């Protein structure tokens, strides 16, 4: 009979075990499952907050990237404008330098032409002086030869014509 006692159900023990089970479930729910659910809820909220923060940061990064690209495009445009302005300024400066060089060349040319004209005049004057001295020498020789008045006038007229041609 002893083996039968092991397999049989005692009603008060069964009720005590059921009550014990409900008390354990209640205690596990209150002190174990509820705090675990709260921790899981906090972690879920933290994870959700971190994801939202990451999305906001990503959106801000995209905005900053687009602003950077726009600033970079503006900087390239400004650089191109500055280069164009510098090129125009350089062309204007080179045109001014060329114009000044042409003016200086023209002034030098005019001065050289004036110098040549003055040198020509001085050379003509020197030739006239030489011709005058030669005329005096000729006149002295003629006077020594006894020239009559007609020959003398002819020589003077010839001399005046020759001096007039030199101009």
């Amino acid at each position: 009979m002893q083996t039968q006692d092991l397999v049989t159900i005692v009603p008060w023990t069964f009720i005590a075990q059921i009550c014990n089970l409900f008390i354990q479930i209640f205690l596990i729910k209150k002190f174990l499952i509820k705090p675990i659910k709260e921790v899981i809820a906090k972690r879920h909220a933290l994870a959700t907050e971190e994801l939202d923060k990451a999305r906001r940061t990503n959106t801000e990064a995209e905005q900053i990237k687009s602003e950077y690209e726009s600033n970079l495009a503006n900087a390239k445009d400004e650089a191109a404008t500055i280069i164009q302005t510098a090129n125009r300024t350089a062309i204007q400066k080179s045109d001014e330098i060329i114009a000044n060089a042409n003016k200086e060349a023209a002034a030098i040319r005019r001065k050289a032409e004036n110098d040549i004209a003055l040198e020509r005049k001085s050379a003509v004057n020197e030739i006239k002086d030489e011709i005058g001295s030669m005329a005096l020498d000729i006149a002295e020789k003629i006077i020594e030869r006894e020239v009559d008045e007609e020959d003398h006038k002819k020589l003077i007229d010839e001399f005046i014509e020759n001096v007039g041609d030199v101009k």
Side-chain angles (χ1 to χ4, degrees):
M1 280 221 181
Q2 288 183 3
T3 46
Q4 259 185 352
D5 286 339
L6 289 174
V7 178
T8 63
I9 296 178
V10 180
W12 287 108
T13 307
F14 181 72
I15 293 173
Q17 285 178 349
I18 296 283
C19 286
N20 188 14
L21 180 65
F22 284 130
I23 291 171
Q24 284 179 359
I25 289 175
F26 173 74
L27 291 175
I28 288 174
K29 264 185 156 181
K30 182 165 179 131
F31 294 111
L32 188 62
I33 294 178
K34 191 174 181 182
I36 289 175
K37 282 185 179 181
E38 289 176 2
V39 168
I40 290 174
K42 285 181 184 177
R43 286 191 178 186
H44 181 14
L46 182 64
T48 305
E49 183 181 325
E50 289 293 325
L51 283 174
D52 290 342
K53 187 177 178 182
R55 286 184 188 119
R56 283 192 307 266
T57 305
N58 191 20
T59 304
E60 289 174 4
E62 289 293 327
Q63 288 175 346
I64 290 172
K65 180 183 174 187
S66 66
E67 287 177 17
Y68 170 76
E69 289 173 351
S70 128
N71 288 341
L72 184 63
N74 289 340
K76 285 181 182 179
D77 291 342
E78 285 182 32
T81 304
I82 290 171
I83 289 171
Q84 288 175 349
T85 304
N87 284 340
R88 276 190 241 119
T89 304
I91 290 170
Q92 288 174 350
K93 293 266 185 195
S94 67
D95 290 344
E96 289 175 9
I97 290 171
I98 290 171
N100 288 339
N102 287 337
K103 287 178 185 176
E104 288 179 17
I108 290 171
R109 191 177 306 123
R110 281 192 300 271
K111 186 176 184 242
E113 289 172 355
N114 290 339
D115 290 345
I116 290 170
L118 289 174
E119 288 294 323
R120 184 179 292 150
K121 285 181 184 178
S122 68
V124 168
N125 288 337
E126 285 179 18
I127 291 173
K128 283 182 182 179
D129 289 342
E130 285 181 27
I131 290 174
S133 67
M134 288 168 74
L136 286 175
D137 288 343
I138 291 174
E140 285 177 3
K141 288 181 184 177
I142 291 175
I143 292 175
E144 289 174 3
R145 268 191 336 186
E146 289 186 25
V147 177
D148 63 1
E149 208 170 296
E150 260 182 57
D151 288 336
H152 185 57
K153 281 185 182 181
K154 270 187 188 176
L155 286 173
I156 291 174
D157 289 337
E158 264 181 49
F159 177 72
I160 291 173
E161 284 178 23
N162 288 338
V163 170
D165 290 340
V166 173
K167 289 181 185 178

